[in-house]
Amino acid sequence: MKKYLMKGNEAIAEAAIQAGCRFYFGYPITPSTEIIEYMAQKMQKVGGTFLQAESEIAAIYMVFGAAGAGKRVMTASSSIGISLKQEGISFLAANELPAVIVNIMRTGPGLGGLGPSQADYFQAVKGGGHGDYRLIVLAPSSVQEMADLIMDGFDLADLHRNPVMILADGILGQMMEPVVFHNRKPIEVDKSWATTGAKDRPRNMITSYNLQNEAGEAKALYLENKYKGIKEREQRWEVYRMEDAEYVFVAYGTSARIVKGVVDTLREEDHKVGLIRPITLWPFPEKAFTPIIQKVKGYMVVEMSAGQMVEDVKLNVNGAAPVAFYSRQGGITPQHDEMKEKFYQSFDVRGMRI
C-alpha cells in the first residue's frame, strides 16, 4: 500500500478524516497545532465542518453538540488546553457521548514549556474533571500508530458510547515517519439515542442532572458497570523480548521506543530483560502482568514525568517484586546510558551473567 511521509499530527488528522470524522472544533496550541491546520485545509473538501473556536472551553462544548447529534467529531490540544476542557469532558462521559480528544503533551505544570512530556497521565486516566468517570486512553508510540489508534478511537467511542483520548507526547506529534492508511470502514452502530430531530418519534433527552439521589446513584452504578465491561474487553499492550524475561521495563509512547534499545543492549550483555508497553493506559493492561507475576524478579518503569504510571504498575505487581523508577522531565527524553546504569543500581546485577 502507498506510504506517506507525515508528521504524527498530520497522520492523526488524515486518519480522523478517513475514519469518518466530519466535525472538528479546536484552538491552536503548540505542539498540536498541525492538527488544526490540517483540518482547516481538508475538512471542507470532504463535506465536513471545521471551526476554530474562541477558546478551548468553547471547542469542547461544540464537540458536545456534534456528538449529541450522533456525528463523528474530534478536538485536539496540548496539556494546558486539555485542562481547560475538563468540565466538558466530564459532561461528555456523563452523557455517554462518543468523541475523540487528542492531547499532544507538553511540559507543565502551568505554562511549562514546549518540549515533550508524559506528565498528563494522571489527568487522562484518573479523570481530570469532576465525578466518577473514565476515558478510554490510547497511547501510540509511532506515527503509524498515531493513525491506527485514531481509527480505533472512533470505533471504540461509538461502540462504548464513551469519549476516547489519544495521549501522545510532543515528539510523536512533531516527528516524521512513513505511514500507511488502510482504508478501514467505520463500524456501524445504532445511534437512535441521538438528538437529530423528533419528527415521528419520541424526543431524545441528553442530560446528566439528577435531582433525586436515588436516580443519581442508579446512573453512577450503571456507568461503573459499563466501565468494568470496557476494562475486561479493551486492554491492549505490546511485549518486546519477554519470552524469558526476569526483569521487565514498563514504558509507553516515546519512552518505550528508547527503552527497546536499552533492552537490546542489556540482552547483548546477557541479562534476561524485556518490555511491556501499555497501549491502553485506561484500561491499564493488567492482563499483561498476570502470567509473569511469579517469574519476574524486578520491574523498572520509565516515564517523562515525576512518576505517574509507576503507581499503576505497583498496584498490579502488588509487592510480588521490587519496582524501580527512572525519569527525565521538563522536555528532556530518557537517556540510554542513564537507564542502563539505573537498572544496574536498582537490581544489583552488574557483572552477573546468565
Side-chain angles (χ1 to χ4, degrees):
M1 300 182 70
K2 189 173 182 179
K3 291 184 178 180
Y4 300 85
L5 183 63
M6 306 181 80
K7 279 190 173 186
N9 285 337
E10 295 168 339
I12 280 176
E14 178 60 32
I17 291 171
Q18 294 194 22
C21 175
R22 292 297 179 267
F23 293 85
Y24 182 90
F25 308 105
Y27 190 83
I29 180 173
T30 306
S32 69
T33 299
E34 289 83 2
I35 299 174
I36 193 172
E37 290 175 342
Y38 196 97
M39 289 301 201
Q41 294 174 2
K42 296 294 183 71
M43 189 61 82
Q44 189 174 9
K45 295 178 181 178
V46 297
T49 297
F50 164 86
L51 196 151
Q52 179 176 317
E54 65 268 32
S55 70
E56 289 87 352
I57 297 171
I60 197 64
Y61 284 106
M62 292 174 185
V63 169
F64 185 98
K71 306 301 181 181
R72 285 199 157 186
V73 57
M74 186 174 87
T75 189
S77 193
S78 295
S79 298
I80 304 166
I82 297 295
S83 295
L84 291 169
K85 296 177 189 287
Q86 288 304 317
E87 180 190 61
I89 292 172
S90 175
F91 272 69
L92 285 166
N95 289 284
E96 297 187 273
L97 298 182
V100 173
I101 303 151
V102 179
N103 182 0
I104 307 298
M105 292 177 281
R106 56 189 275 177
T107 67
L111 283 176
L114 303 183
S117 173
Q118 294 177 322
D120 295 354
Y121 180 94
F122 280 160
Q123 183 190 62
V125 307
K126 307 300 183 185
H130 57 290
D132 289 313
Y133 73 89
R134 295 287 192 178
L135 304 180
I136 300 171
V137 183
L138 304 175
S141 69
S142 67
V143 173
Q144 183 63 59
E145 276 196 334
M146 297 283 257
D148 293 343
L149 292 182
I150 280 287
M151 298 276 194
D152 292 345
F154 277 104
D155 284 351
L156 289 169
D158 279 350
L159 180 64
H160 296 292
R161 283 189 63 184
N162 206 76
V164 171
M165 177 170 283
I166 307 296
L167 193 68
D169 58 78
I171 288 178
L172 290 168
Q174 294 297 315
M175 72 186 301
M176 298 185 76
E177 287 184 324
V179 59
V180 173
F181 298 96
H182 299 290
N183 298 317
R184 285 170 45 182
K185 292 185 177 180
I187 64 169
E188 295 184 6
V189 298
D190 175 35
K191 292 190 175 181
S192 57
W193 49 265
T195 52
T196 56
K199 185 177 181 180
D200 300 324
R201 68 161 173 82
R203 65 176 182 167
N204 290 334
M205 294 289 291
I206 294 178
T207 180
S208 57
Y209 194 39
N210 295 298
L211 291 176
Q212 294 183 329
N213 293 339
E214 292 78 9
E217 184 181 49
K219 178 64 178 293
L221 292 173
Y222 161 78
L223 288 174
E224 182 181 351
N225 188 59
K226 169 181 149 176
Y227 298 143
K228 287 179 180 177
I230 295 173
K231 185 177 181 180
E232 178 61 29
R233 293 177 57 182
E234 303 298 353
Q235 295 182 33
R236 301 184 186 190
W237 66 92
E238 177 196 7
V239 295
Y240 181 72
R241 306 194 75 168
M242 282 293 296
E243 58 277 0
D244 61 348
E246 294 180 349
Y247 296 92
V248 177
F249 286 83
V250 187
Y252 69 97
T254 293
S255 294
R257 292 173 69 118
I258 302 170
V259 167
K260 285 181 178 180
V262 178
V263 169
D264 290 340
T265 299
L266 289 171
R267 282 278 179 177
E268 290 171 1
E269 298 177 3
D270 294 332
H271 295 292
K272 294 180 179 180
V273 296
L275 166 69
I276 294 175
R277 176 175 72 92
I279 297 173
T280 51
L281 301 184
W282 194 88
F284 190 77
E286 299 172 359
K287 295 177 182 180
F289 295 84
T290 304
I292 64 170
I293 202 74
Q294 301 302 322
K295 306 174 186 177
V296 173
K297 297 178 180 179
Y299 300 83
M300 177 172 289
V301 180
V302 177
E303 297 182 70
M304 290 187 284
S305 75
Q308 299 186 16
M309 184 181 69
V310 65
E311 295 190 5
D312 285 331
V313 174
K314 288 179 178 179
L315 285 171
N316 283 278
V317 172
N318 197 24
V323 178
F325 177 64
Y326 167 85
S327 75
R328 294 303 300 266
Q329 301 180 56
I332 299 176
T333 58
Q335 303 297 300
H336 184 284
D337 290 344
E338 290 179 1
M339 270 188 280
K340 181 180 168 184
E341 182 63 26
K342 182 71 173 181
F343 171 79
Y344 282 131
Q345 292 175 357
S346 300
F347 303 117
D348 195 25
V349 294
R350 194 186 304 274
M352 294 178 63
R353 293 293 184 266
I354 297 172

